Amino acid sequence: MMSKSAGLIFGVGVLVAVAIFVINPSSPGPEAAAPASGASAAGLPPGHPEIGGAEAQATAEGPFATVVETLASGGYTYARVAADGEDIWVAGPTASLEVGQEISLAGAMGMENFHAASLDRTFESILFLNGFAGRAAAPEGQSGTALEVIYGGGYTYVRVDLGDSEEWIAGMGVAVSEGQTVAWQAGSPMENFASPSLERTFPRILFVDGLRVEG
C-alpha cells in the first residue's frame, strides 16, 4: 500500500511508482549538484542509495516544502519538511538548513521503508535530493561588477562585486567581460554546487534569470 507521504507527492502533481518514484522538473537545472566532499558514490554511508544522475537534479522549481526539523549524519543532511499539510523526510548533501526555510522537492528520487544505517533508523518514505534549492532569493534589479568570468556547459559563471560582498552567479550563455556591470532579475541559491563541466564546486551560487550586461 502506498504510504501517506508518497500519496502527498502524487497529490502535488508528480508520478509515483510502487516503491521508487522520481520527481521530474519541467525545466531542470543546468547540472546536478554532486554530493558534498566525503560523500561520493563510492563512500556513501551504509544503507544509502546512490544519489546523483540526470534524473535527480535539484532545481528551484516546485513543489516546495518548509523545513521543520534537521539531522546530520554520515555526510548528509536529513530534513523533516511540511508540504501541503503533511510531513515528509528528505535527504541530500550536507547543507546549512534552517527551520522555516523553503526548499524545492523537484528532481527528487524517493524510496519507501528505507533503512539508514548511519542513523539506525527506518524511514517509511524519504526523498533523496542532489542539492537543496530554495525559492528565488535575489531581489529584482540586482546588479554588480564582474570580477571573474568562466564559461561552461552553456552557462556563464560570474563572480560579482555587490559593493559590500561578493557572489557567484550563473546564467544562460551571455558574453561578459571582467569590469562590466551585470544585472539580473531573480536568483535561486544552491549550496555546495558541483559543476562537472568546470570540475569545480561552488560553496554557494545563484542561478539567475535575465542575466544581462549593462556597461
Side-chain angles (χ1 to χ4, degrees):
M1 180 179 295
M2 191 190 319
S3 72
K4 186 176 182 181
S5 296
L8 165 65
I9 301 303
F10 182 83
V12 295
V14 299
L15 300 178
V16 180
V18 176
I20 301 179
F21 52 92
V22 175
I23 303 176
N24 290 310
S26 59
S27 177
E31 295 166 301
S37 177
S40 64
L44 291 171
H48 282 257
E50 180 178 351
I51 297 178
E55 295 297 327
Q57 296 182 2
T59 76
E61 297 188 5
F64 290 93
T66 303
V67 176
V68 177
E69 175 188 355
T70 64
L71 297 172
S73 178
Y76 285 83
T77 293
Y78 294 80
R80 180 167 59 91
V81 299
D84 197 24
E86 301 287 347
D87 280 3
I88 57 178
W89 279 94
V90 300
T94 300
S96 297
L97 299 180
E98 298 181 357
V99 172
Q101 178 179 347
E102 283 191 301
I103 61 172
S104 171
L105 302 182
M109 180 177 293
M111 291 191 67
E112 294 189 1
N113 300 317
F114 168 71
H115 180 72
S118 62
L119 292 172
D120 191 22
R121 174 173 181 171
T122 298
F123 294 90
E124 180 181 349
S125 181
I126 189 168
L127 298 178
F128 290 92
L129 303 170
N130 267 1
F132 292 98
R135 290 188 184 273
E140 293 192 4
Q142 184 77 24
S143 63
T145 302
L147 300 176
E148 181 180 353
V149 182
I150 307 174
Y151 298 96
Y155 281 77
T156 301
Y157 297 80
V158 187
R159 180 168 59 90
V160 295
D161 180 357
L162 299 176
D164 57 355
S165 64
E166 294 181 3
E167 182 85 83
W168 274 100
I169 64 172
M172 292 295 292
V174 176
V176 178
S177 298
E178 295 180 7
Q180 289 184 313
T181 297
V182 293
W184 57 95
Q185 296 177 348
S188 299
M190 289 191 70
E191 306 285 338
N192 299 316
F193 172 74
S195 168
S197 63
L198 298 179
E199 297 185 348
R200 174 171 179 169
T201 297
F202 297 87
R204 172 186 162 85
I205 192 169
L206 285 179
F207 285 94
V208 302
D209 295 326
L211 178 63
R212 62 191 185 278
V213 174
E214 292 196 332

